[in-house]
Amino acid sequence: MPLTPRSHARPARVQPAPVALPDSDALRRRTGSSQSTGSSQSTGSSHSTASSHSTGSPRRTGSSPRKGFSRRRKAVALLASAVSVCLLAASAPAEPLGVGDRLFPYLGNPGYDVASYDLSFTYAGDNSKPLTAVTTIDAWTTTELDRINLDFAHGDVQAVEVDGRPAAFGSAGEDLVVTPDRPLPRGSWMRITVRHTSDPVSADDRDGGWVRTTDGLAMANQADVAHLVFPCNDHPSDKAMFTIRVTAPDGYTAVANGLPTDVDRAGRTTIWTYRTQHPMATELAQVSIGRSTVLRRSGPHGLPVRDVVPTQDRAALEPWLKKTPAQIAWMEDRVGPYPFETYGILMAAADTGFELETQTLSLFEKDLFTEPAYPKWYVESIMVHELSHQWFGDSVSPRTWSNLWLNEGHATWYEALYAEAKAGRTLDARMKAAYGASDRWRAAGGPPAAPKPPKPGQKIGIFRPNVYDGAALVLYALRQEIGRKAFETLERAWVQQHRDGTATTADFVRLASAVSGRDLGGFFQDWLYAEKTPAMPGHPDWKAVAPATVPVK
């Protein structure tokens, strides 16, 4: 549903051009969980040890950004401030903007850097009706702005304020274009408040955003649909802190990214508040509203682990969920400390066809765990796939969507290593099979670091085999090339150096070269960008199967 403008933006004096981000660089997924005893809770409180309560009195948590986030903000500001500014005629209409992503040209917006989102949703108990919502965005301007473009495309806007003063607004493409009553100088702090609806019913057969479950709602915003839920700068290059507040009728439980800070009751409703302690990309936001139970347990080093399950299924799902702490420990042994304040699995009673690594609370279809046709080892390896994304993709996010191979290749890599360690499904056998198919994958979807753009209306089409097993094959070749020890050092250094930030393929190439002590530029050029798959180091006998050709008529 298009925006319903309530007023018209006044003519702009200046407006930033789209930022051309460097392009040097979920959803095949059935692909994170581990081990401990669980307890249940239907309201949001946070505990390091297993406990059971019927009401919640959560402890308050802070949300101070890390130094890495500050560096990222400065880097984004410098990039955006370098954009050439176009002088527009006084009568120039509002138009959609973007940050110049090769795969999603109109995603994100230049001219500002978001520091935080405050999202408030009111759910009336019917997942076919729009939620009432208020989105507050705090941001720095990186150039002078007479207009502010936000990504938002599936709700009605009632009012907009900038720094507490009413602002005019209109729509352009999938942008909400806001015109404050006075220009905003470069380097100024601004607060944008949008009162709007958030519609859970998909429009024009475009899936994503809200996912309707049998008892409520969840979110699946990857890659480019967070702006179907709330106004935002919907690109992973602009990570921010989040506070999420959900008001729902009694009998429902709401859970979101981060840790709970408040659970307040007002009449026949409950207000649930959660806050992240690390910056997050919009595509990783998660809100669950349902007749759910929250199961709590303690992970490594006292990490709070909480899972959200349909109350009626808690006993059947517990054998799977209790595996989470041990799986976290397994990942930590390979790449270092878990990067966030909590983790858990959201079991959704919905038919999505994928699993998704939403930050600190991975989304899974409940049927993945209840369908007997799926082997146990397979389900557990898919749990580790989503868990490993917390390091690769969530903590270290892609600067552009062409860097997607860094997310999915690594998650597939650790999924495969786990299947080898726990079920004897050898990595060599999987990679040999991937090598045989690699040329076909490249022909269909492009090389791993230069995926072909998605077709119109098929935005999740970038999630092809070339960025899953095809990208894991690149990591396998790299380990063959530089040796196991250097490879494992690289993996730990990567997630440590770029924690809470964004990174590119070029960053990975530079770090791999530094760790190995030699220039790997040529190696990566062939493996990441070539039309054909290079020879596999150490396995000259491996052969790729040529892509099928269509006869010319």
Side-chain angles (χ1 to χ4, degrees):
M1 183 184 300
L3 290 171
T4 303
R6 305 298 178 183
S7 61
H8 297 284
R10 70 178 177 84
R13 181 166 62 85
V14 292
Q15 182 74 340
V19 178
L21 289 179
D23 216 12
S24 59
D25 337 284
L27 284 157
R28 169 214 62 138
R29 316 202 207 275
R30 279 224 174 266
T31 66
S33 184
S34 258
Q35 195 109 21
S36 178
T37 58
S39 63
S40 69
Q41 186 165 318
S42 60
T43 59
S45 62
S46 175
H47 300 279
S48 297
T49 57
S51 59
S52 178
H53 301 278
S54 59
T55 60
S57 300
R59 57 190 176 90
R60 294 185 175 273
T61 58
S63 59
S64 57
R66 293 177 172 270
K67 292 180 179 179
F69 179 44
S70 298
R71 289 195 299 269
R72 182 201 62 78
R73 179 188 296 170
K74 292 176 182 176
V76 172
L78 288 172
L79 176 63
S81 64
V83 176
S84 60
V85 176
C86 300
L87 296 178
L88 303 181
S91 60
E95 58 183 357
L97 299 177
V99 294
D101 191 288
R102 184 179 68 87
L103 299 178
F104 300 99
Y106 290 102
L107 203 61
N109 292 285
Y112 59 91
D113 177 26
V114 178
S116 66
Y117 292 92
D118 189 300
L119 310 178
S120 293
F121 300 104
T122 299
Y123 178 69
D126 185 341
N127 67 3
S128 66
K129 300 293 178 63
L131 291 74
T132 58
V134 179
T135 295
T136 300
I137 301 172
D138 286 335
W140 291 99
T141 62
T142 56
T143 190
E144 181 181 1
L145 289 176
D146 275 15
R147 288 179 185 162
I148 307 156
N149 279 50
L150 301 172
D151 298 305
F152 188 51
H154 193 44
D156 292 340
V157 177
Q158 288 87 38
V160 181
E161 294 180 352
V162 177
D163 295 333
R165 295 185 295 272
F169 60 92
S171 61
E174 294 195 351
D175 282 8
L176 168 65
V177 184
V178 177
T179 305
D181 65 353
R182 65 190 70 177
L184 301 173
R186 174 185 173 185
S188 62
W189 181 259
M190 65 176 177
R191 170 167 290 181
I192 308 164
T193 302
V194 183
R195 300 183 184 279
H196 61 97
T197 62
S198 185
D199 195 341
V201 179
S202 298
D204 301 325
D205 297 322
R206 183 176 180 183
D207 293 330
W210 288 115
V211 172
R212 297 165 66 193
T213 66
T214 58
D215 63 343
L217 294 169
M219 279 187 196
N221 295 332
Q222 198 176 73
D224 70 324
V225 290
H227 66 280
L228 300 188
V229 178
F230 59 95
C232 56
N233 202 27
D234 197 6
H235 194 270
S237 61
D238 193 3
K239 298 168 71 169
M241 310 299 283
F242 277 73
T243 298
I244 301 174
R245 192 173 295 102
V246 179
T247 301
D250 289 345
Y252 287 88
T253 299
V255 184
N257 311 91
L259 292 172
T261 62
D262 290 288
V263 178
D264 300 316
R265 287 171 173 79
R268 296 182 178 180
T269 65
T270 303
I271 305 168
W272 314 74
T273 304
Y274 293 82
R275 182 172 294 127
T276 65
Q277 294 185 349
H278 299 263
M280 181 170 72
T282 51
E283 49 112 358
L284 301 173
Q286 183 57 267
V287 173
S288 165
I289 307 170
R291 299 188 182 278
S292 308
T293 293
V294 179
L295 302 174
R296 300 186 181 277
R297 65 198 86 238
S298 181
H301 323 295
L303 177 75
V305 176
R306 48 85 174 92
D307 303 304
V308 184
V309 300
T311 299
Q312 63 184 15
D313 299 310
R314 52 178 295 188
L317 295 172
E318 174 60 21
W320 294 104
L321 298 170
K322 69 181 183 180
K323 299 176 183 295
T324 299
Q327 291 179 343
I328 295 173
W330 186 88
M331 280 296 301
E332 288 190 334
D333 285 344
R334 283 148 186 82
V335 296
Y338 177 76
F340 297 124
E341 63 271 24
T342 186
Y343 185 65
I345 289 175
L346 165 59
M347 297 281 201
D351 182 13
T352 61
F354 58 82
E355 329 304 330
L356 187 62
E357 66 273 15
T358 41
Q359 190 162 310
T360 73
L361 186 63
S362 292
L363 174 67
F364 285 81
E365 288 179 292
K366 184 191 73 173
D367 288 355
L368 175 66
F369 301 89
T370 57
E371 170 54 62
Y374 298 129
K376 179 180 176 181
W377 70 265
Y378 171 77
V379 176
E380 292 185 23
S381 68
I382 298 309
M383 294 168 73
V384 170
H385 180 112
E386 301 306 327
L387 170 63
S388 63
H389 270 308
Q390 303 299 309
W391 285 265
F392 301 95
D394 293 11
S395 179
V396 184
S397 299
R399 187 80 51 79
T400 76
W401 279 109
S402 294
N403 306 137
L404 178 63
W405 79 274
L406 287 164
N407 299 18
E408 299 302 347
H410 277 102
T412 303
W413 176 258
Y414 290 102
E415 167 198 331
L417 286 183
Y418 191 85
E420 179 178 62
K422 302 299 182 180
R425 318 291 295 194
T426 67
L427 178 67
D428 283 359
R430 180 165 178 171
M431 292 297 100
K432 183 177 182 180
Y435 190 89
S438 179
D439 279 0
R440 299 197 303 273
W441 293 341
R442 290 173 183 243
K452 293 181 180 180
K455 295 179 180 179
Q458 299 180 11
K459 299 299 182 66
I460 63 174
I462 62 172
F463 296 92
R464 307 178 181 102
N466 60 324
V467 299
Y468 286 87
D469 282 68
L473 188 66
V474 176
L475 297 177
Y476 181 86
L478 177 61
R479 194 178 75 170
Q480 292 287 106
E481 182 75 11
I482 67 175
R484 186 183 299 265
K485 183 176 180 181
F487 180 83
E488 291 174 352
T489 299
L490 167 64
E491 294 290 274
R492 288 176 173 271
W494 176 252
V495 296
Q496 180 180 357
Q497 289 190 17
H498 297 285
R499 183 178 183 182
D500 287 343
T502 63
T504 68
T505 296
D507 294 326
F508 191 77
V509 172
R510 281 192 292 270
L511 184 60
S513 297
V515 169
S516 65
R518 59 194 181 90
D519 183 3
L520 293 171
F523 170 88
F524 279 110
Q525 182 64 35
D526 292 342
W527 275 96
L528 291 174
Y529 298 102
E531 182 179 319
K532 300 291 185 180
T533 310
M536 176 60 69
H539 293 286
D541 56 314
W542 285 12
K543 304 297 181 184
V545 179
T549 58
V550 178
V552 177
K553 295 184 179 180

